[in-house]
Amino acid sequence: MPTARVVTLAHVAAAAGVNASTASKVLNGDAAVRVGPDTRARILAAAKALGYRPNALARGLRTARSHMLGIAVPQLENPVFPEIILGAETAARERGYSLLISHSGEADGDARLYEALAAVSRVDGLLVATLEDEAVLASALARSTVPFVVINRKLEGIANHVVFDSFAAARVATEHLLSLGHRRIAHLAGRTEGYNGTRRLAGYRAALEAAGLVFDPSLVVAAGYTVEGGEAAIRELLGRGAGFTGIVAATVLTAAGAMKVLHATGLQLPSQMSIVGIHDAAIADMLHPPLTTVRLPLREMGSVATHGLIDLLEGRIGQVECTLPIERLVARQSCAAPLGSRP
Amino acid sequence: MPTARVVTLAHVAAAAGVNASTASKVLNGDAAVRVGPDTRARILAAAKALGYRPNALARGLRTARSHMLGIAVPQLENPVFPEIILGAETAARERGYSLLISHSGEADGDARLYEALAAVSRVDGLLVATLEDEAVLASALARSTVPFVVINRKLEGIANHVVFDSFAAARVATEHLLSLGHRRIAHLAGRTEGYNGTRRLAGYRAALEAAGLVFDPSLVVAAGYTVEGGEAAIRELLGRGAGFTGIVAATVLTAAGAMKVLHATGLQLPSQMSIVGIHDAAIADMLHPPLTTVRLPLREMGSVATHGLIDLLEGRIGQVECTLPIERLVARQSCAAPLGSRP
DNA sequence: CTGTTAGCGCATTCAT
DNA sequence: ATGAATGCGCTAACAG
């Protein structure tokens, strides 16, 4: 497999009749270099004519900057992660960086996770969007030799992070149901220990209390972030016999799982049961009925984290701490006024 | 931002009291080197003790192999691509390669696409899963300086590709409906010019004809590969008034779009209309009713393409040409016997 | 204004 | 069985 003829800086310099270092300065737009306009033109012309492409490896070796970023995600099945990656990849490209992907899979135990992170070697920095247990993640990250920004959660003792306002997301979702007249609203929570889980639960509760309702723990079930979790949780809730007419689901997958069970139960959506999901994934609009959601700035989260990481790397800033506002509620057909309310 | 102390080969060599070149040979398991067992042990121990990690950039510069692969995908919104990426990333990691991601977005025109590919510079090879027009893609690829494998389509004049059996996928889907007693089966086709589109159409038609039915062009509409395309196509079909009781949808997104319209129309699924989708994405099970699908070897396609590309790179093989069999039909609740059939 | 020199970290001849 | 020397392609000091 003969690699195609590769044009090096030396070729360009030779063609332009200058020294390689001069060509390097000109091509890199080194501001501190004063060079004759004709020389500059010759170099540029030669580079273009020869189709010169700098060797990123050599440059990286010399400058100790690979211009590559790694992103660690737990999985690709949940649409949350492709969205984050999309934002990250776009931002990275804008800034002249490439994005190396690594999915940690079912990594448990920090050694395994650390391996996944280390596999993303030769990167200048790391974007971390995994779902590990706090302690495990912190321990793995403590060994990192490069700067990193944590996406989608705040970690005790770790400065750099970009999150969105999970509290507001749940509050807005709950308020929507409240405004429709619902008074008994259940919450299919995420992981009630995690950052997002606790914030969402708090947002749900705050909305309830602001409306003068009392928080009823029997209306809350931890459902995780999967379809199966949603199914199990709604069954549990239904089994408890604690009447409710609306549901705030922690994610769109949780909502989908709940809807499967509700359909099986024969309950009519939205007339007999309303549901709001948090995360406006494409699937929300494919569910039946189309799911009302809170649109989350996931792409933006990836993008902001990436710009922040690069700024960090380049010494422009010292820290990345950002909480993005949620976008808005997207009303579809999964919510209606509760049955009992006046018509 | 002081980069953490970095251990080089020289450090290891010094610690072991040997020359760097010796350490290099031992650490790389160079077979042609005979080295004293104690020396070898000392080197290995020193490397481990110091936590030596070879500098991938330096190694790449020296060997002219970056051990990085690029994957170009058109988008991340369609779950097809994350699945392919997952397979590719896993395979790459198994072989000691990293995966650099690049989404070409709405690239049209080969210059733009070429830029996207070139952005994935510094890679040893390229995995190409874009959706471009044949000519555009071929023209962009012609400029590639590295070997590539095309995923999910065959291209005129381009040898290396990994596809799945699109013909069989559509045939199996159609046969399922046939076996249930359907006789008027519509096809929401993909892009009827593309590789997959034509193969699927052919598979659909073959199944029909094998069952002694005549192919009716008025039952086929090009729907592309999006939800909106599915919606438009089913409306078109319904508008034609050509009666049918079953639908073979080119993708799960197409099927989801069709189902939205069918629900809006008030048709009962599956009692009044059956539907099968091609591609067993996670969403299939979240639709209502859960969608019967043909499971496609997407992850495997990514994995096989990646192994093939690496084999190509390493000179183990000369060509990658592979058509993967489909996995199987996954029956859910979107199909039933047609109304007219005996009970 | 431009050229010279040096070296990033590694793998690879070729000598011992 | 090991070491010395060389250079991959590039950029950064420093000369001139």
Side-chain angles (χ1 to χ4, degrees):
Chain A
M1 194 101 271
T3 345
R5 270 176 44 53
V6 61
V7 179
T8 76
L9 190 55
H11 297 141
V12 175
V18 298
N19 184 279
S21 71
T22 307
S24 170
K25 287 169 203 156
V26 169
L27 260 15
N28 289 325
D30 188 331
V33 75
R34 294 162 312 168
V35 69
D38 54 330
T39 313
R40 144 169 283 117
R42 277 208 319 281
I43 294 172
L44 261 17
K48 192 170 169 197
L50 297 178
Y52 171 66
R53 292 223 167 246
N55 180 320
L57 259 38
R59 174 180 285 173
L61 178 58
R62 183 60 238 246
T63 60
R65 298 248 90 116
S66 66
H67 278 244
M68 291 195 297
L69 266 25
I71 184 164
V73 295
Q75 35 157 251
L76 255 21
E77 291 86 347
N78 187 326
V80 166
F81 300 105
E83 272 197 65
I84 292 175
I85 291 172
L86 201 53
E89 202 267 339
T90 305
R93 190 190 310 205
E94 283 169 14
R95 300 285 291 266
Y97 283 71
S98 305
L99 195 65
L100 229 145
I101 199 169
S102 161
H103 83 277
S104 55
E106 297 306 314
D108 40 14
D110 63 344
R112 175 89 185 282
L113 173 63
Y114 175 67
E115 268 318 303
L117 296 185
V120 188
S121 77
R122 64 186 148 192
V123 296
D124 292 341
L126 225 36
L127 263 5
V128 180
T130 65
L131 250 27
E132 313 304 319
D133 177 84
E134 296 235 352
V136 167
L137 185 53
S139 145
L141 286 177
R143 294 194 261 168
S144 173
T145 57
V146 295
F148 54 84
V149 172
V150 176
I151 299 183
N152 204 24
R153 63 201 288 186
K154 285 184 190 171
L155 247 34
E156 197 66 44
I158 288 185
N160 301 314
H161 63 256
V162 175
V163 298
F164 67 87
D165 190 346
S166 239
F167 178 92
R171 184 172 47 70
V172 165
T174 310
E175 284 169 355
H176 181 65
L177 256 13
L178 251 11
S179 75
L180 252 21
H182 293 269
R183 287 296 171 266
R184 294 283 293 169
I185 300 172
H187 181 35
L188 266 28
R191 296 197 304 178
T192 46
E193 341 78 68
Y195 170 75
N196 281 301
T198 52
R199 298 307 297 146
R200 285 181 208 189
L201 180 55
Y204 156 79
R205 181 169 183 165
L208 253 30
E209 292 175 348
L213 299 175
V214 330
F215 171 74
D216 178 356
S218 75
L219 286 175
V220 176
V221 181
Y225 300 115
T226 62
V227 176
E228 296 71 28
E231 297 181 66
I234 189 78
R235 277 206 201 88
E236 158 79 18
L237 223 36
L238 257 14
R240 283 185 193 167
F244 55 96
T245 61
I247 302 169
V248 172
T251 72
V252 68
L253 296 185
T254 320
M259 286 169 72
K260 285 189 64 167
V261 172
L262 292 171
H263 281 135
T265 312
L267 274 171
Q268 291 301 311
L269 273 59
S271 57
Q272 296 179 283
M273 184 65 72
S274 290
I275 180 164
V276 185
I278 297 177
H279 176 194
D280 188 43
I283 28 178
D285 196 47
M286 303 182 216
L287 297 175
H288 181 68
L291 182 68
T292 291
T293 61
V294 177
R295 181 169 295 170
L296 266 21
L298 297 181
R299 205 169 298 197
E300 193 184 354
M301 208 161 57
S303 154
V304 167
T306 304
H307 281 295
L309 179 58
I310 295 174
D311 285 341
L312 219 51
L313 253 31
E314 299 184 344
R316 289 175 207 282
I317 59 173
Q319 206 169 319
V320 181
E321 291 207 354
C322 181
T323 300
L324 296 167
I326 56 168
E327 299 200 353
R328 63 189 179 82
L329 185 116
V330 180
R332 295 202 179 82
Q333 286 95 63
S334 66
C335 296
L339 266 187
S341 67
R342 69 180 176 294
Chain B
M1 193 103 272
T3 344
R5 273 177 39 57
V6 60
V7 178
T8 76
L9 190 54
H11 297 141
V12 175
V18 298
N19 184 280
S21 70
T22 308
S24 171
K25 288 168 202 157
V26 169
L27 259 15
N28 289 326
D30 188 331
V33 75
R34 293 163 312 169
V35 68
D38 53 332
T39 313
R40 145 170 282 117
R42 277 208 321 281
I43 294 172
L44 262 17
K48 192 170 170 196
L50 298 177
Y52 171 66
R53 293 225 167 242
N55 180 319
L57 259 37
R59 175 180 284 176
L61 177 58
R62 181 61 235 253
T63 60
R65 297 248 91 115
S66 66
H67 278 243
M68 291 195 296
L69 265 25
I71 184 164
V73 295
Q75 34 157 250
L76 255 20
E77 292 86 347
N78 187 326
V80 166
F81 300 105
E83 272 197 65
I84 293 174
I85 291 172
L86 202 54
E89 202 267 340
T90 305
R93 189 191 311 205
E94 283 168 15
R95 300 285 290 267
Y97 283 71
S98 305
L99 195 65
L100 226 146
I101 199 169
S102 162
H103 84 278
S104 55
E106 296 306 315
D108 40 15
D110 62 345
R112 175 88 185 281
L113 174 63
Y114 176 67
E115 268 318 304
L117 296 185
V120 188
S121 77
R122 65 187 146 193
V123 297
D124 292 341
L126 225 37
L127 264 4
V128 179
T130 66
L131 250 27
E132 313 303 319
D133 177 84
E134 296 234 353
V136 166
L137 185 53
S139 146
L141 287 176
R143 293 194 262 167
S144 172
T145 57
V146 295
F148 54 86
V149 173
V150 175
I151 299 183
N152 204 24
R153 62 201 287 185
K154 285 184 189 171
L155 246 33
E156 198 65 45
I158 288 185
N160 301 314
H161 63 256
V162 176
V163 298
F164 68 87
D165 190 345
S166 239
F167 178 91
R171 184 172 47 71
V172 165
T174 311
E175 283 170 355
H176 181 65
L177 256 14
L178 251 11
S179 75
L180 252 20
H182 293 270
R183 287 297 172 266
R184 294 284 293 169
I185 301 172
H187 181 36
L188 265 27
R191 296 197 306 178
T192 46
E193 341 78 70
Y195 170 75
N196 282 301
T198 53
R199 299 308 296 146
R200 285 182 208 188
L201 180 55
Y204 156 80
R205 181 169 182 163
L208 252 31
E209 292 176 345
L213 299 175
V214 330
F215 171 74
D216 178 355
S218 75
L219 286 175
V220 176
V221 180
Y225 300 115
T226 61
V227 176
E228 296 70 28
E231 296 181 66
I234 190 76
R235 278 206 199 88
E236 159 78 20
L237 223 36
L238 257 15
R240 284 184 191 168
F244 55 95
T245 61
I247 302 169
V248 172
T251 72
V252 68
L253 296 185
T254 320
M259 286 169 73
K260 284 188 66 167
V261 172
L262 293 171
H263 281 135
T265 311
L267 275 170
Q268 292 302 311
L269 273 58
S271 58
Q272 296 178 283
M273 184 66 73
S274 291
I275 181 164
V276 185
I278 297 177
H279 177 194
D280 188 42
I283 29 177
D285 196 46
M286 302 181 216
L287 297 176
H288 181 69
L291 182 69
T292 291
T293 62
V294 177
R295 181 170 295 171
L296 266 23
L298 298 181
R299 204 170 298 198
E300 192 184 354
M301 207 159 60
S303 154
V304 168
T306 303
H307 281 295
L309 179 58
I310 295 173
D311 286 340
L312 219 52
L313 253 31
E314 299 184 344
R316 288 174 208 281
I317 58 174
Q319 206 169 317
V320 181
E321 290 207 354
C322 181
T323 300
L324 296 167
I326 56 168
E327 299 200 353
R328 62 189 178 82
L329 185 116
V330 179
R332 295 201 180 82
Q333 286 95 62
S334 67
C335 297
L339 265 187
S341 67
R342 70 180 176 294

